[in-house]
Amino acid sequence: MKAYAEALVKAKAEEEAKEAAEKAGEDTNTTKRLEEEAKKLSEKESKVDSLAEEAKGVGAPMKCILSKAKDSTQAPSLQALAHHSTMTQPLISPSSGLVNTQTPFASCFNPQLNTHLILPFKRTTSSFRYKSPILNQIQTMAPSNLKSNRWSLQGKAALVTGGTRGIGRAIVEELAGLGATVHTCSRNENELDKCLVEWKSLGLKVSGSICDVSIRAQRESLMEKVSSLFDCKLNILVNNVGTNIRKPMVDLTAEEVSTLLATNFDSVFNLCQLAYPLLKASGLGCVVFTSSVSGFVSLKSMSLQGATKGAINQLTRNLACEWAKDNIRSNAVAPWYIRTSMVEQVLSNKEYLEEVYSRTPLQRLGDPTEVSSLVAFLCMPASSYITGQIICVDGGMSVNGFYPKDY
Ligand SMILES: NC(=O)c1ccc[n+]([C@@H]2O[C@H](COP(=O)([O-])OP(=O)(O)OC[C@H]3O[C@@H](n4cnc5c(N)ncnc54)[C@H](OP(=O)(O)O)[C@@H]3O)[C@@H](O)[C@H]2O)c1
């Protein structure tokens, strides 16, 4: 038994020694090869074509350059590379990804020659292989395919609440325009039907149902409809509906309080609960809430509305963490004044409008499409690492400090 154990130890030691010898040989060979190439290159001053053949994998004629460097930390500048380059391929740094427009390369420092050797990026050489998904896509996909992947919503199923006017309507059109199949809801049947006809004439895949999201039973019917339409799967839930009653808080009646809470928060919370199994079943879900800057800063006569949006902001963060394991992201957009029917009346007052402009660094109102573009981005694979964020769409209002006019 002892002899057997000793034999095993010996065999293992021999195997390790063999591996180490092979590796040392490999390293020596690589170093030797690079030194030889570097020598050859330096003789020809700055540019040679000797590795161009090897770089055929990236599909363009390539050149190698040598760059003098004081030490191993001083890498040649990317600008210099681009200048020397005759490439048409994207410029890739093995350490930092897609950094400029011209050349894929790998660099290594040669202490004897005190130079950086720049080698064309070569996909077949494992030591220089850079596995950037962006590069893979650029090299292997036509631009149309690239678009249809990361920057598209093709094949996604979405529910957008309150899609017949204002921000909700812009979101429906933005998502459907990017390839999603969208279901929306509102309370006014005529208005909904008119929208559906218009969307159909534009070739957008949008369906709709009547639903007052402040009523639990109607929310449940809405989600049953969505489930049957989309085969029990939902990729995108946009909780857009919200309302406002402007009053000092002590003047709000009990009925107004319950309307505001039911419309702005209960509905959102419960729709998330109802949508959860569908979002999970889709394998890649996302929730976007329409919050408001009123959830961050105090606005006159909007204490309860602001509190409901503040609650949405925290729900956004909680769901991001609670549902991450199910591959569901959760984000919110927080607009300041956007030109919609909801704020039409208050903004018809000229003095009030002037106050709004003066408080807004960009000195104008927002357009619903300036919110819907962000919502679409948050639903795309392109934003796949963003979750738990509340992003203001406010012309700079929420970061505005003190800027007196005459100083
Ligand atoms: N506009 C702004 O300046 C602004 C600023 C900050 C935040 N927001 C937020 O953005 C969201 C959209 O606002 P908006 O200005 O686009 O509003 P909007 O122009 O009044 O449009 C609201 C949409 O939601 C529907 N809706 C309203 N209550 C509903 C309910 N109980 N059930 C189902 N659908 C309902 C409306 O249709 P029906 O009336 O037919 O139901 C309409 O389609 C809200 O959450 C709001 O708080 C807006």
Side-chain angles (χ1 to χ4, degrees):
M1 195 64 189
K2 193 179 164 221
Y4 177 66
E6 279 171 3
L8 268 184
V9 170
K10 197 174 162 215
K12 191 151 189 340
E14 277 172 7
E15 200 180 299
E16 279 171 3
K18 199 173 153 208
E19 269 174 22
E22 275 170 10
K23 184 145 194 333
E26 262 175 33
D27 289 350
T28 316
N29 286 343
T30 310
T31 310
K32 241 182 174 172
R33 188 173 68 82
L34 290 175
E35 279 175 7
E36 274 164 20
E37 283 164 349
K39 209 170 157 206
K40 243 163 76 186
L41 293 172
S42 66
E43 279 164 8
K44 290 190 177 189
E45 291 282 339
S46 63
K47 293 184 188 177
V48 292
D49 298 333
S50 67
L51 292 181
E53 270 305 301
E54 289 185 28
K56 270 187 180 155
V58 267
M62 297 212 164
K63 300 194 180 224
C64 296
I65 63 164
L66 273 175
S67 157
K68 292 282 172 200
K70 285 198 182 78
D71 58 52
S72 60
T73 58
Q74 193 190 359
S77 88
L78 296 171
Q79 264 178 351
L81 274 175
H83 176 73
H84 282 293
S85 167
T86 58
M87 312 308 151
T88 53
Q89 294 290 315
L91 178 60
I92 304 294
S93 151
S95 55
S96 60
L98 190 65
V99 288
N100 211 324
T101 51
Q102 295 297 312
T103 313
F105 74 95
S107 74
C108 54
F109 183 71
N110 183 314
Q112 274 102 13
L113 295 171
N114 210 24
T115 55
H116 262 99
L117 178 61
I118 309 302
L119 301 173
F121 188 78
K122 190 182 163 217
R123 280 183 291 176
T124 50
T125 308
S126 62
S127 55
F128 292 142
R129 187 180 293 158
Y130 176 70
K131 292 175 186 159
S132 155
I134 298 174
L135 174 64
N136 284 343
Q137 287 195 13
I138 290 168
Q139 287 177 340
T140 60
M141 295 174 101
S144 57
N145 290 342
L146 183 65
K147 199 177 153 205
S148 73
N149 194 11
R150 298 175 69 238
W151 296 92
S152 159
L153 296 172
Q154 207 69 43
K156 305 281 184 198
L159 168 63
V160 179
T161 64
T164 55
R165 290 198 309 277
I167 295 170
R169 180 168 183 159
I171 295 171
V172 167
E173 292 171 2
E174 191 92 50
L175 301 191
L178 286 160
T181 306
V182 183
H183 189 77
T184 190
C185 70
S186 70
R187 295 163 301 179
N188 183 317
E189 193 164 7
N190 280 343
E191 204 172 9
L192 178 63
D193 287 346
K194 261 169 87 180
C195 287
L196 290 172
V197 169
E198 217 173 301
W199 289 327
K200 195 173 175 198
S201 74
L202 292 169
L204 301 176
K205 288 179 277 177
V206 186
S207 54
S209 27
I210 293 303
C211 167
D212 183 338
V213 295
S214 67
I215 300 169
R216 177 176 278 265
Q218 295 195 22
R219 294 194 290 263
E220 288 169 353
S221 313
L222 173 69
M223 209 50 79
E224 274 166 27
K225 173 87 184 169
V226 167
S227 182
S228 74
L229 268 177
F230 298 142
D231 198 19
C232 306
K233 295 186 188 87
L234 185 67
N235 299 103
I236 297 163
L237 167 64
V238 182
N239 276 306
N240 168 69
V241 168
T243 191
N244 193 9
I245 301 168
R246 284 163 208 275
K247 274 188 178 181
M249 70 95 73
V250 288
D251 294 344
L252 284 167
T253 66
E255 204 189 344
E256 288 169 336
V257 170
S258 75
T259 300
L260 213 48
L261 288 174
T263 309
N264 283 18
F265 188 71
D266 295 353
S267 69
V268 165
F269 191 88
N270 185 225
L271 280 171
C272 286
Q273 290 178 315
L274 296 169
Y276 172 68
L278 283 71
L279 290 164
K280 188 178 172 184
S282 76
L284 208 61
C286 71
V287 181
V288 180
F289 300 92
T290 309
S291 177
S292 167
V293 287
S294 65
F296 289 102
V297 295
S298 125
L299 301 178
K300 192 175 177 184
S301 300
M302 286 175 66
S303 53
L304 184 55
Q305 196 268 4
T308 62
K309 297 298 188 182
I312 283 177
N313 293 352
Q314 191 52 37
L315 182 62
T316 303
R317 300 184 190 102
N318 274 62
L319 291 191
C321 301
E322 202 170 321
W323 290 355
K325 65 178 187 344
D326 302 310
N327 241 342
I328 302 169
R329 294 184 294 120
S330 160
N331 291 291
V333 296
W336 167 231
Y337 272 111
I338 306 293
R339 214 179 271 281
T340 70
S341 57
M342 183 189 279
V343 293
E344 216 169 17
Q345 203 203 335
V346 67
L347 295 178
S348 63
N349 179 325
K350 260 192 151 189
E351 280 166 17
Y352 187 90
L353 187 62
E354 282 306 319
E355 290 262 12
V356 170
Y357 288 155
S358 74
R359 187 70 187 80
T360 312
L362 287 183
Q363 304 239 322
R364 65 173 175 87
L365 304 177
D367 185 82
T369 56
E370 292 177 301
V371 182
S372 63
S373 51
L374 174 60
V375 173
F377 171 67
L378 291 172
C379 297
M380 284 179 182
S383 66
S384 52
Y385 205 48
I386 301 175
T387 193
Q389 303 305 307
I390 300 110
I391 304 176
C392 291
V393 187
D394 64 354
M397 182 273 188
S398 61
V399 295
N400 200 359
F402 178 56
Y403 280 82
K405 267 188 190 152
D406 301 325
Y407 293 91

